[in-house]
Amino acid sequence: MKFLFTSLLILLICFQGISQTQGAQSIFSTGVSGCYSDYYITFHDRGAYEIPDGEHEAVLVVINQGKSECYMAKANVKNGQLVSPTTIQKADGTYIPVARMFKALDQDWLEEQDLETLYTITDGMSNVFQTQEKYHVRLFFHTFIHPDHGGNKKAPPANVLLKSDGM
């Protein structure tokens, strides 16, 4: 009886943990095809310099139904935060406001966000925004990414590094 009760308790805890994990699972943890993953992983691994005030070239990633497309854009920054307007580059080299592509941020989504940090840029990346059309959008400030210094240097074996020097 004790074994049965313990087994049921363990199963209940496992199912509860799994259901909470799936419910809180981000669309980005399940994988996004296209350019997003490469940009995100690189920026996450390397980080970026602080973005100074002004207008800067950026990569605008638009994610819809698990697929991403990347576009050249320009974004304005003030005190480490995005400010309007953000523009997207057209094929002829001109820029138009992103507001022409997306009406506005999703109001239900916006109500759940921390407005103090929503527009903050971290490691050269904006937060992910959700539009009324249910697109997800993120900016990467590629000109400020830290240089690639290659992988971590491996340590030599202990018997080589810790040679006895006769002491």
Side-chain angles (χ1 to χ4, degrees), residues 107-153:
Q107 289 303 306
D108 293 333
W109 173 85
L110 193 56
E111 288 175 7
E112 298 173 6
Q113 305 308 307
D114 177 5
L115 297 181
E116 295 290 320
T117 61
L118 181 61
Y119 298 100
T120 301
I121 300 165
T122 306
D123 286 333
M125 302 178 279
S126 72
N127 285 313
V128 176
F129 299 95
Q130 182 174 308
T131 69
Q132 284 180 348
E133 301 85 4
K134 305 300 182 209
Y135 289 97
H136 291 90
V137 179
R138 177 175 242 169
L139 287 163
F140 293 93
F141 291 86
H142 62 92
T143 58
F144 295 95
I145 192 165
H146 288 148
D148 184 5
H149 296 289
N152 295 330
K153 182 177 178 179

Side-chain angles (χ1 to χ4, degrees), residues 155-166:
N159 64 349
V160 173
L161 186 63
L162 306 175
K163 292 179 189 174
S164 172
D165 56 3

Side-chain angles (χ1 to χ4, degrees), residues 75-91:
N76 288 289
V77 176
K78 184 164 180 143
N79 298 323
Q81 297 202 346
L82 287 174
V83 293
S84 292
T86 297
T87 57
I88 187 166
Q89 189 173 26
K90 303 302 280 180

Side-chain angles (χ1 to χ4, degrees), residues 10-11 16 26 48 52 54 58 62-63 82 92 113 125 136 147 149 164:
I10 290 171
L11 275 173
Q16 183 179 2
S26 164
V62 179
I63 303 167
L82 287 174
D92 67 0
Q113 305 308 307
M125 302 178 279
H136 291 90
H149 296 289
S164 172

Side-chain angles (χ1 to χ4, degrees), residues 17-91:
I18 290 169
S19 65
Q20 285 178 353
T21 301
Q22 288 176 345
Q25 194 171 35
S26 164
I27 65 166
F28 305 108
S29 66
T30 59
V32 174
S33 66
C35 56
Y36 176 80
S37 296
D38 289 339
Y39 277 103
Y40 179 78
I41 290 167
T42 303
F43 273 79
H44 183 269
D45 288 348
R46 290 169 49 183
Y49 300 107
E50 186 173 320
I51 313 301
D53 290 355
E55 183 180 63
H56 302 286
E57 194 172 270
V59 173
L60 175 75
V61 180
V62 179
I63 303 167
N64 185 32
Q65 298 178 350
K67 296 177 184 160
S68 61
E69 294 286 338
C70 294
Y71 304 95
M72 295 308 298
K74 286 188 179 177
N76 288 289
V77 176
K78 184 164 180 143
N79 298 323
Q81 297 202 346
L82 287 174
V83 293
S84 292
T86 297
T87 57
I88 187 166
Q89 189 173 26
K90 303 302 280 180

